[in-house]
Amino acid sequence: MNTPAVADFRNYPLISALTAVQPLADRLHVQWADGRLSPFHHQWLRDNCPCPECVYSVTREQVLEIVDVAEDLVPNTSLVDAQGCLCVEWQNGHQSRFDPGWLRAHAYDEASRAERFEAKPKSQLWTANLQLPVFEYHAIMEDPKALLQWLLALRDIGLTQVRGVPTEPGSLAGIAKRISFIRESNFGVLFNVQSKADADSNAYTAFNLPLHSDLPTRELQPGLQFLHCLVNDAVGGESVFVDGFAIADALRHEDPEAFRSVCEIPVEFRNKDRHSDYRCLAPIIALDTLGQVREIRMANFLRGPFDAPAEQMPALYRAYRRFIAMTREARFRVSARLSPGDMWCFDNRRTLHARNAFDPATGARHFQGCYIDRDELLSRIRVLQR
Amino acid sequence: MNTPAVADFRNYPLISALTAVQPLADRLHVQWADGRLSPFHHQWLRDNCPCPECVYSVTREQVLEIVDVAEDLVPNTSLVDAQGCLCVEWQNGHQSRFDPGWLRAHAYDEASRAERFEAKPKSQLWTANLQLPVFEYHAIMEDPKALLQWLLALRDIGLTQVRGVPTEPGSLAGIAKRISFIRESNFGVLFNVQSKADADSNAYTAFNLPLHSDLPTRELQPGLQFLHCLVNDAVGGESVFVDGFAIADALRHEDPEAFRSVCEIPVEFRNKDRHSDYRCLAPIIALDTLGQVREIRMANFLRGPFDAPAEQMPALYRAYRRFIAMTREARFRVSARLSPGDMWCFDNRRTLHARNAFDPATGARHFQGCYIDRDELLSRIRVLQR
C-alpha cells in the first residue's frame, strides 16, 4: 500500500487509536481511543481512497473521479485491522485502507475541525511599540533555520528588516530567491526607487508618499515587498509602517459602521502611463470566508473617483477619512531610516508603508525593490518545516 | 488648467451640456441639458479637484488627501462658466473646475451608474456549437487591429486558436509578449507538456486529464493560458474545452442549491513536490460583488479531502458530482486536435480544459505553455483602444 503519509510529504503521527466502527445509512461513525467520535460519509471515504488505482503514485495526484462511483455506494464490511487502519470493502469489491494518523488529521467532526482552526498560524497584531524583527543577511543565505525564522516573522508579523545585504545593485534578487522566483510587474522584475523627471508614479518622485500598499491596481496585490537601500545620502526619506490588520481591528471595534463600509463598498485603483492602463475595483479591506481580515488595499494617490450609489457616498467618505486618519495616529506608526545594506521585507497586503519627503538636492537616494507572492512564502515555509 | 481628460489618457467627449447648479446642504445638484440630474457631494468634488496643486501633472496622481480638508467644507460659489465647466470656489478660497465630459463620465446618479454598468463588456457564453475564434499568427504579430480583435475574443469568449505559430521551441513567448510580460510559476516561465517518468503533475503523464483550470492551488489562478503544439504524432491527446461560465449559469438555473454549495463551501487544492507545497482553500465558483461569476476553480486531481461541517458534506458531494457531471455533458463540450504550429489561448479562470489520454508508444507529443494574467490582458486592450 502506497501510504498517503509518504505520498503528500507530510507526517501524520498517530494521535489516538481507532477503537470501533459503526455503520450508518450514509456514513461510518468512527470511535477513537480518546473518546472522540468522527463521522465519515461513504462518499468521502471512497473519494479519498489512497490505493494505487485511485491515486497515481508518482505524482501523488488522484486519478479517480468520484462521479464515476455510484452515489449510493455502501460498504460490505468496515473494520479496524491488526495495524489499526480503517479497512472498508465496498459493494463492488474495491478495497480502501486508511491510516489512523491520516484519518484523524482529516476528520471533520466539530472538535477536529475546531482543533485544526486553532492550530492555524495567527497574525500577531502590532502597534508603535513593535520590537522590529531584524535578521542577518548571511544567516538567511546560509542557515535554513535562520531562513525559516525570517519567513515565519514575515507570515505572522508582516514586517522585518534584514541587515548586511551587499550594496551592489541586484543583490536583493539573491535573498528573494532564497524564498522563490520573483513576481514580475509592469515596473519590471526589480524596480529602482529613485526620483525621476519623467516619473510614471509618485513613488518615483521626492514627494511624501502617504501610507499605501503597492499595486492595489491589480487583482492580486503582491504579497511580499522587498526594499533594499543602496544609497541614502539625501535629507529625509524615512520609512514609516503601520500594521493594516491592527488598524482594521481597531476600526472594527471603534467604528463598526465605518469598518463595514470599507469592507463592502468597492473602490477603483488605477495606474496608467503611455504603455499600460491598470484598473482594479475592490474594497479597501477584504475578509476571508471566516470574516477575518485577509488584506488591505490602499493607495490614495492611485485611487479613482468614488463610484457608489449617492446615498452611500457620505458613509463611504466618512469611513475613508476615518481609515486614513487612523493610519496617521502615532499609536500605530513605526518609523525608521535605512542605511545602505539594510533591507525592508514586509507583507504588502497587510503592512502599509510610507516615505517621508526627501530633498534630492542634499544627496543621492537609491532603493531597489521586488515582489514575491504569499503563495511562495507559504510553500517555502511548509517545505522547510517538513 | 491641466485637463483630466489628457491626464489619464482617456477621452471624455461632451455627452450633454451642464445647464444649472443647485446648492444643497452637503452636495450640488447638477442639471444636464438632456434632463438628467446628478448629485455631487461636496466631499466628492473637493476630492476630485483636478488642479495642479491637487494632482501632480507628471504622474497624473493625486497629491491631495481628502482627510486634510474639513469634513463640512462647502462652496462659496458654484456655477457653470462660459466654457461649460462646473466651477466651485470653496470657503477656504481653493478653486476647482470640472470638465463637463469628465463629470458626466463619473456622475453617480442612478441612471449614469446603470449606463456604465450596461456599457461594461459582457461574457458571451458558449456551448458545443461554438464557432471557434481562429486568428493568424502573422496578423497578430504585425497588425495592432488584429491583435485587438484577438484580445477582445479572449476577454469576451475566453477561447481562441492561433494558427501559423513557428514550431521552434520558445516561439509562444513572442506572441505572449505582444500582450505583456509572462507570469512565472513554480513550473517555470515556459513549461513543457510532455509525458515524463518523474512527473510532478498528472499533466506530465499520458493520462486522460479531466476538465480543469491550471494552478487552482494558487490564490490567483493564471488568467490566460497559452498551449502551443510543437509536435503531435502520438495517437490520442485531443483537447477538450467547456465554458465554465456557461456551466455555472446552467447550474444556477437547473440546480440553485448545488450552485450555492459550490459558490459557498471552500475546497482545498494543492500541488506538492520535493521543492514546493502549494495549497489554496477557495470555492469552486467565485462571484464578484454584483453576484456575477468571476472565476471557476477546478482540478479534481489537485483537490484535497473535503473539509466541511459534517451536516454540509452530503450537499457538497451532491453539488460537486453535479458540477463534474455537467462538464461531461456533450452539450457543453468542444473538442479539437492541434497540429504543429497551432496554439490554444484561453481564459484559464473561465474555460476549463481537458486532454484525452494519448499513447506515447505511437509517437512524440510536445506542447509548450505559459501564462499571462487578466490584468495584463485588460491593460493591453485599454491601451490599444485609446
Side-chain angles (χ1 to χ4, degrees):
Chain A
M1 176 182 156
N2 174 41
T3 75
V6 173
D8 80 354
F9 296 101
R10 285 181 252 189
N11 291 313
Y12 298 104
L14 183 68
I15 306 282
S16 182
L18 285 170
T19 56
V21 189
Q22 185 197 356
L24 275 76
D26 67 342
R27 69 192 79 177
L28 301 181
H29 271 183
V30 159
Q31 184 71 55
W32 304 91
D34 63 0
R36 186 166 297 174
L37 182 84
S38 301
F40 291 102
H41 289 81
H42 300 149
Q43 288 280 310
W44 190 96
L45 288 166
R46 183 64 193 86
D47 188 19
N48 289 292
C49 174
C51 86
E53 215 175 284
C54 294
V55 177
Y56 179 47
S57 62
V58 174
T59 59
R60 305 155 304 276
E61 292 173 0
Q62 194 178 25
V63 178
L64 172 76
E65 288 182 275
I66 189 63
V67 69
D68 290 320
V69 173
E71 195 155 9
D72 56 357
L73 188 78
V74 294
N76 272 338
T77 60
S78 52
L79 53 85
V80 179
D81 71 9
Q83 286 76 44
C85 292
L86 173 65
C87 295
V88 180
E89 189 188 288
W90 303 98
Q91 274 178 326
N92 62 355
H94 193 89
Q95 297 192 353
S96 304
R97 185 165 180 267
F98 301 94
D99 173 89
W102 183 90
L103 205 56
R104 177 71 171 232
H106 295 87
Y108 50 92
D109 59 90
E110 225 169 285
S112 298
R113 296 191 80 232
E115 255 175 28
R116 279 201 295 279
F117 179 75
E118 273 313 303
K120 279 191 180 172
K122 302 277 183 295
S123 295
Q124 297 163 26
L125 303 186
W126 49 268
T127 53
N129 59 8
L130 170 70
Q131 186 80 31
L132 184 68
V134 175
F135 299 85
E136 290 302 323
Y137 173 78
H138 281 291
I140 286 174
M141 294 301 283
E142 287 150 26
D143 176 5
K145 283 205 186 71
L147 174 62
L148 179 59
Q149 290 314 306
W150 176 47
L151 302 188
L152 292 174
L154 282 169
R155 183 191 68 184
D156 298 334
I157 301 169
L159 176 60
T160 68
Q161 193 180 103
V162 179
R163 293 192 180 147
V165 183
T167 53
E168 285 77 44
S171 297
L172 84 168
I175 191 163
K177 285 176 183 166
R178 284 291 281 162
I179 306 179
S180 187
F181 61 89
I182 295 172
R183 175 168 162 192
E184 188 170 356
S185 79
N186 53 310
F187 294 103
V189 175
L190 304 185
F191 51 89
N192 288 290
V193 186
Q194 281 171 301
S195 171
K196 302 186 225 182
D198 63 339
D200 53 359
S201 160
N202 283 358
Y204 303 137
T205 66
F207 299 169
N208 164 65
L209 264 194
L211 284 158
H212 67 284
S213 53
D214 270 21
L215 306 196
T217 51
R218 297 189 65 95
E219 196 170 347
L220 182 72
Q221 301 183 102
L224 298 181
Q225 176 166 173
F226 297 72
L227 269 180
H228 175 213
C229 174
L230 301 176
V231 182
N232 201 4
D233 295 334
V235 170
E238 296 81 11
S239 305
V240 181
F241 297 96
V242 297
D243 181 355
F245 287 6
I247 290 179
D249 187 64
L251 186 66
R252 197 199 286 250
H253 289 99
E254 296 169 18
D255 194 339
E257 199 191 318
F259 180 78
R260 210 171 314 118
S261 292
V262 288
C263 287
E264 288 174 6
I265 307 177
V267 170
E268 192 185 58
F269 295 94
R270 67 256 182 100
N271 181 275
K272 57 237 166 295
D273 66 13
R274 293 191 191 289
H275 308 293
S276 65
D277 189 337
Y278 288 95
R279 304 181 205 168
C280 180
L281 183 73
I284 289 165
I285 299 180
L287 305 179
D288 65 18
T289 47
L290 298 167
Q292 295 185 314
V293 175
R294 191 163 52 92
E295 78 174 334
I296 312 289
R297 189 181 288 269
M298 167 61 73
N300 186 71
F301 51 97
L302 300 175
R303 184 172 54 83
F306 284 156
D307 182 8
E311 64 275 16
Q312 284 186 4
M313 204 53 86
L316 179 53
Y317 268 106
R318 201 183 71 76
Y320 187 73
R321 295 176 70 103
R322 182 71 191 257
F323 185 90
I324 299 287
M326 285 178 90
T327 66
R328 294 181 174 192
E329 287 180 37
R331 62 171 164 151
F332 292 114
R333 290 165 81 95
V334 168
S335 175
R337 189 172 193 285
L338 285 196
S339 298
D342 295 344
M343 186 186 85
W344 295 117
C345 187
F346 56 93
D347 184 338
N348 177 63
R349 298 166 64 191
R350 167 181 176 181
T351 301
L352 302 180
H353 63 296
R355 175 192 66 208
N356 291 338
F358 63 93
D359 179 358
T362 57
R365 185 181 192 276
H366 183 193
F367 281 51
Q368 284 194 316
C370 69
Y371 305 116
I372 282 185
D373 272 330
R374 276 190 191 163
D375 284 327
E376 273 66 39
L377 171 69
L378 298 178
S379 167
R380 191 74 168 107
I381 289 174
R382 289 183 197 114
V383 171
L384 287 167
Q385 284 180 334
R386 273 179 191 164
Chain B
M1 176 184 156
N2 174 41
T3 73
V6 172
D8 81 350
F9 296 101
R10 283 180 252 186
N11 291 314
Y12 297 104
L14 183 69
I15 305 284
S16 181
L18 286 169
T19 55
V21 189
Q22 185 197 355
L24 276 76
D26 68 341
R27 71 193 76 177
L28 301 181
H29 271 182
V30 159
Q31 184 70 55
W32 304 90
D34 62 0
R36 188 167 294 175
L37 182 83
S38 301
F40 292 102
H41 289 80
H42 299 150
Q43 289 281 309
W44 190 97
L45 288 167
R46 183 65 192 85
D47 188 20
N48 291 292
C49 173
C51 86
E53 216 175 284
C54 294
V55 176
Y56 180 46
S57 62
V58 174
T59 60
R60 306 157 300 276
E61 291 173 3
Q62 194 179 23
V63 178
L64 171 77
E65 289 182 274
I66 189 64
V67 70
D68 290 319
V69 172
E71 195 156 7
D72 56 358
L73 188 78
V74 294
N76 272 339
T77 59
S78 53
L79 53 83
V80 179
D81 72 8
Q83 286 76 44
C85 291
L86 173 66
C87 294
V88 180
E89 188 187 287
W90 303 96
Q91 272 176 328
N92 63 355
H94 192 90
Q95 297 191 351
S96 304
R97 185 164 178 266
F98 301 93
D99 174 88
W102 182 90
L103 205 56
R104 177 71 171 231
H106 296 86
Y108 51 92
D109 59 89
E110 223 169 288
S112 298
R113 296 191 80 231
E115 256 175 26
R116 279 200 294 282
F117 179 75
E118 273 311 305
K120 279 190 180 173
K122 303 278 183 295
S123 295
Q124 297 162 25
L125 304 186
W126 49 267
T127 53
N129 58 9
L130 170 71
Q131 185 81 29
L132 184 68
V134 176
F135 298 86
E136 289 302 324
Y137 173 77
H138 281 292
I140 287 175
M141 294 302 282
E142 288 152 27
D143 175 6
K145 285 206 186 73
L147 175 61
L148 179 59
Q149 290 313 308
W150 178 46
L151 302 187
L152 292 174
L154 282 169
R155 183 190 70 184
D156 299 332
I157 301 169
L159 176 60
T160 67
Q161 193 181 104
V162 179
R163 292 193 181 147
V165 184
T167 53
E168 285 77 43
S171 299
L172 86 166
I175 191 163
K177 284 175 183 165
R178 284 291 282 163
I179 306 179
S180 187
F181 61 90
I182 294 172
R183 174 167 164 192
E184 189 169 354
S185 79
N186 55 309
F187 294 104
V189 175
L190 303 185
F191 50 90
N192 288 289
V193 187
Q194 283 171 299
S195 173
K196 302 185 224 182
D198 63 339
D200 52 359
S201 163
N202 284 358
Y204 303 137
T205 66
F207 298 171
N208 164 65
L209 264 194
L211 282 158
H212 67 285
S213 52
D214 269 22
L215 307 196
T217 54
R218 299 190 63 97
E219 198 171 344
L220 182 71
Q221 302 183 102
L224 296 182
Q225 177 166 173
F226 296 71
L227 270 180
H228 175 211
C229 175
L230 301 176
V231 181
N232 202 5
D233 295 335
V235 171
E238 297 81 11
S239 306
V240 181
F241 297 95
V242 297
D243 181 355
F245 288 6
I247 290 180
D249 186 66
L251 186 64
R252 195 198 286 252
H253 288 101
E254 296 169 19
D255 193 339
E257 199 191 320
F259 180 77
R260 210 173 313 119
S261 294
V262 290
C263 287
E264 288 174 7
I265 307 176
V267 169
E268 192 184 60
F269 295 93
R270 67 257 181 100
N271 181 274
K272 54 236 169 294
D273 66 13
R274 294 192 190 286
H275 309 291
S276 65
D277 189 337
Y278 288 95
R279 302 180 207 169
C280 180
L281 184 72
I284 289 166
I285 298 180
L287 304 180
D288 66 17
T289 47
L290 298 167
Q292 296 185 312
V293 176
R294 191 163 53 91
E295 77 173 334
I296 311 291
R297 190 180 286 270
M298 168 60 73
N300 185 71
F301 51 98
L302 300 175
R303 183 172 55 85
F306 284 156
D307 182 7
E311 66 273 16
Q312 284 185 5
M313 204 53 87
L316 178 54
Y317 268 106
R318 201 184 70 77
Y320 188 73
R321 295 175 70 102
R322 182 71 193 256
F323 185 91
I324 299 286
M326 284 176 90
T327 67
R328 294 181 174 190
E329 285 179 37
R331 60 171 165 152
F332 291 115
R333 291 165 79 97
V334 168
S335 175
R337 191 172 193 282
L338 286 195
S339 299
D342 295 344
M343 187 186 84
W344 295 117
C345 187
F346 56 95
D347 183 337
N348 178 61
R349 300 166 65 192
R350 167 180 176 180
T351 301
L352 303 179
H353 63 296
R355 175 192 68 209
N356 290 337
F358 63 92
D359 180 357
T362 56
R365 186 182 191 273
H366 184 194
F367 281 50
Q368 284 194 315
C370 70
Y371 305 117
I372 283 187
D373 271 330
R374 276 190 192 165
D375 284 327
E376 273 65 39
L377 171 68
L378 298 179
S379 168
R380 191 73 169 109
I381 288 174
R382 288 182 198 114
V383 170
L384 288 168
Q385 284 180 333
R386 274 179 191 163

